[in-house]
Amino acid sequence: MNSGIKFFPALLFLAATAAFAADTPADVKAGAALFRDKGCAFCHGADLKGTKKAPALADIGTDKDWPADKMTDHILNGGQKMPPFRDSLSDEEIAQLVAFLRAKDHPAPPPPAE
Ligand code: HEC
């Protein structure tokens, strides 16, 4: 009879989860440009396949050892050889970079602004 009341919390939960996890295509695109423009590509490779300086990031989006919050933390604070970016990137920019790294197909960035 009152099954609507039972479903309501489940719907709220789904809506909240979707809002939190949504990496929009616009975020992913912005992240692609940041990856190229902020020096990430210099070490990790424009194609995310890694260089002598840094490991590949191409499959990090499906790597269970690298949830989004850990990526965010690594970008903020750096690692052993990676510099921290907490002073040069905003929280929004870091979220866009993480969205780009989590995207299944890493789209090519839009052409650089003149
Ligand atoms: C100076 C070279 C350099 C630059 C620039 C750089 N990284 Fe890194 N990055 C590294 C190295 C080296 C590692 C391996 C862990 C360590 O030593 O910090 C790493 C690790 C990572 C990791 C964790 C993956 C792993 O397997 O360790 C992520 C995510 C990451 N970098 C993202 C970024 C992003 C995003 C940017 C641009 C904002 C960036 N990096 C810029 C060198 C760099």
Side-chain angles (χ1 to χ4, degrees):
M1 288 300 160
N2 58 359
S3 58
I5 291 174
K6 269 194 225 143
F7 274 116
F8 191 60
L11 282 177
L12 272 185
F13 175 75
L14 280 179
T17 318
F20 181 71
D23 293 335
T24 68
D27 285 342
V28 172
K29 242 188 182 172
L34 289 166
F35 193 85
R36 176 195 58 206
D37 297 341
K38 299 291 179 178
C40 318
F42 177 73
C43 287
H44 289 282
D47 54 4
L48 305 183
K49 296 217 175 94
T51 69
K52 278 188 188 147
K53 295 189 229 9
L57 298 176
D59 297 324
I60 197 168
T62 52
D63 187 338
K64 298 250 178 334
D65 290 338
W66 282 97
D69 56 347
K70 194 172 162 191
M71 286 191 229
T72 302
D73 188 71
H74 197 90
I75 298 168
L76 279 170
N77 299 311
Q80 289 193 306
K81 291 194 232 144
M82 177 166 147
F85 284 85
R86 66 164 63 247
D87 294 333
S88 49
L89 295 172
S90 68
D91 288 351
E92 190 189 5
E93 288 172 323
I94 292 180
Q96 290 166 340
L97 279 163
V98 170
F100 169 65
L101 292 176
R102 280 160 49 93
K104 269 194 218 81
D105 53 333
H106 304 287
E114 308 275 328

